Every structure is written in C-alpha cells, then in structure tokens.
Amino acid sequence: MLALLSLSGSMDMEELTARLHLETGMAMLQQGLLEQAEEEFQSALETGLEYSEALLGLGMVSARRSSWTAAEEYYRRYMRECPEDPRGYSRMAELFLDTGRPDSAVSMADSAFDLSPGDPDVWLLCGRTRLELEDLDEAGNWFSRGVDHGGDTALESLVLLASVHRRSGRGHEARDLLVPAADAGYSPACWELAKVYLDWEDYMRAEDAMRRYLLLSPDGTYADSAVLVLEELGESGEYMETLY
C-alpha cells in the first residue's frame, strides 16, 4: 500500500512538474524569450510522451525563428500524437500561410474546423486561407461569421471582411465597417481605412488614417509601410504635408 501511495505521489508530482514547464514555456514564448521557452518545452517533453503538448510549443518556437522545416516536423509529430486536437492542424495551416502554400493551408484549416466547428479562431483561419487564394466570397462568409459571433476575434474578422469588400469594389461598405472600429482606437482598422481612401485618391483622409495608425501602433506591423506611403505622398505632391 505504501509503495502504491508513493508511486501515485510520484506520478502526481511528475504531472505537476511537466505542467509547470509547459505553462512557463508558453509564458516565455509570449514574451519572445525563445531560448528559455525551448528549454522549458524540452524539459516537459523529457518527462514523458504523454506531455506531447510540448511538441506544439517547440514548433511555435521554431516558427518564431523562421525555422520552417523544424516547425513543420514538430507540428506533424504533434498531429500524430494528438490527432483529435485541432491546434496541430491550425498551427500547420499558419505555417503554410507563412511559407506561401495557401492550398495546403486550406486543407489544414478545414481539418481544424472539422474537429472544432464552433471555434471563432478556426473560422478566422479558414477565412484567411481563402483570402490568400483570392476566394473572396468564401473568405467573406467566414469573416462575417466571426463578426456576427462577437468575442475576441470580432475586430480582426471585421477588418478582414472590410478588406474583402474593398477588393471586391465595395469600398463604401468597407468604410462603413471600419470607421467605428478606427474611432474606437483599433489600429488595424485605421490602416485598412487608409487603403480604402488611397483607392479613392482621397489623400487627405488617407494621410489622417495613417497618422492615426502610427499614433496607436508606432511599432506595429504596418508602421514602416505607413511612413513610406506618407513620404511618397509628400514627395509626389499629391498631398503636400509630409510626415515631418
């Protein structure tokens, strides 16, 4: 009996230790501390194969390093270990999008949806894969679903739905979606709104939207592009005010 209790306690401690390594690894990854995150995931994996979630973490670390081959191998190992978990398919779809393989990304996103049809993050991913293939109608359907659902993905879905409208020649519909989000301080909406105004050659409003984007996200994904466009507008004489 004492031996059984000791074994049970050991297994509980092992599980606690592995879970702690996994949670610490994810926290380190979110902070961009890739080496520390990798060490934590490796430690969790060494505890036992049942902690295969660490494979997902190692794949995410490799993807952040743009080590695509290593990331793909980790994700595939995770999918073999946990074939019913949609996260492996979602991460693989993201990897295929990042490496210019949208057809493969669609297949993986669809697999994630089959496993988790009620997940708004998966809807967003399905829409992004279709958008990459210029399947605007299907992409719009996915993004509309996310907007209607609300929640954490609603604003990102809204901006992407506006992008679909803009690319489809429905700029006014795009603007109507974007203005409230931009006024509320959602920076990606400001950037997409600037593109609507640039399409209309409304350079004054485009300049204002880009400045708002830079104010909200000075180090954002599109900050360099916004600065470049503002400088080009100033140099071209289309809009005389420059960034400086």
Side-chain angles (χ1 to χ4, degrees), residues 103-154:
D103 289 316
S104 298
V106 166
S107 175
M108 288 295 165
D110 286 348
S111 294
F113 175 74
D114 289 340
L115 292 167
S116 186
D119 187 347
D121 286 312
V122 174
W123 305 344
L124 184 63
L125 181 60
C126 288
R128 288 173 53 217
T129 59
R130 269 64 179 192
L131 187 61
E132 193 68 24
L133 290 172
E134 295 293 330
D135 186 350
L136 299 183
D137 289 340
E138 187 66 16
N141 290 336
W142 286 109
F143 298 143
S144 293
R145 183 183 297 199
V147 172
D148 293 341
H149 180 271
D152 294 339
T153 66

Side-chain angles (χ1 to χ4, degrees), residues 3 31 187:
Q31 297 174 50
S187 62

Side-chain angles (χ1 to χ4, degrees), residues 12-13 33 68 90 125 130 177 188 208 213 217 232 236 241:
D12 290 344
M13 183 58 67
L33 303 174
W68 306 118
S90 292
L125 181 60
R130 269 64 179 192
L177 283 174
D208 178 67
Y213 175 82
S217 297
E232 288 178 348
S236 70
E241 290 187 26

